[in-house]
Amino acid sequence: MSSSDIFIGETIGTAILILLGGGVCAAVTLKASKARNAGWLAIAFGWGFAVMTAVYISAPLSGAHLNPAVTVALAIKDGDWSNVPVYFAGEFLGAMLGAALVWLAYYGQFQAHLTDREIVGDPGTQADVKAVEAQEKGAGPVLGIFSTGPEIRNAVQNLATEIIGTFVLIIAVLAQGLNDEGNGLGVLGGLITALVVVSIGLSLGGPTGYAINPARDLGPRIVHALLPLPNKGGSDWSYAWVPVVGPLIGGAIAAGVYNLAFA
């Protein structure tokens, strides 16, 4: 694979991943959406299908990492770091493009939601000013469409949750290579990975929203901070390091365990 193939494949694939994954979050969250309040099951399967779609689209070009934690784990496993910067560039750019496309697809719903009195209060009143100021200190009312956040804010637990969830994802991805005499699962690989993501979401996603992917969280969080959304509130930068550092640690541990146990 050439550097251009890797960059293009990761950009397109990660953009599709975030468009569909962030899209299901928007569908469930925004008041004017037909899928409003569809629930966690819809989100878990929506993200799983997003992974499957993105993998099948990008695999021929880049091998479908779509996640810096996957890239780091494979670099540790194989001892080759030469293409890591190219993968990272495509993954983070793609994540930002995907988040922008979610905003475009749900533009009217974002505007209606963020000007609704039940969401932001009564425009022009002191109560509304206080509500927006409170949101600026942490997560705004639509930040969950773009990035993750904890239900209980405890840095140690939140970091551990992201490490554990990412470890499960990465060890499952690496173990695919042990099947069919080292050739992996072929076309079934994308489906199996998608089902692993669904499992992680249902079993381990409750505490933090299971970022398990630094690009998936940081790229859209930057887009949330930049978009001209009315009354959008803060982007919760005090938490932003957890879904970046946790998955990278989890991926590195998974690669170490793989090399020790399976290689």
Side-chain angles (χ1 to χ4, degrees), residues 48 51-52 55 169 172-173 176 185 188-198 200:
V51 169
M52 181 181 69
V55 166
L169 171 64
V173 169
Q176 288 187 25
L185 297 175
L188 285 177
L191 175 60
I192 298 301
T193 301
L195 292 176
V196 171
V197 171
V198 172
I200 293 169

Side-chain angles (χ1 to χ4, degrees), residues 8-18 50 53-55 57-58 62 66 94:
I8 292 169
E10 291 299 293
T11 299
I12 294 173
T14 311
I16 294 295
L17 169 66
I18 302 304
T53 305
V55 166
I57 289 172
S58 62
S62 66
L66 311 176

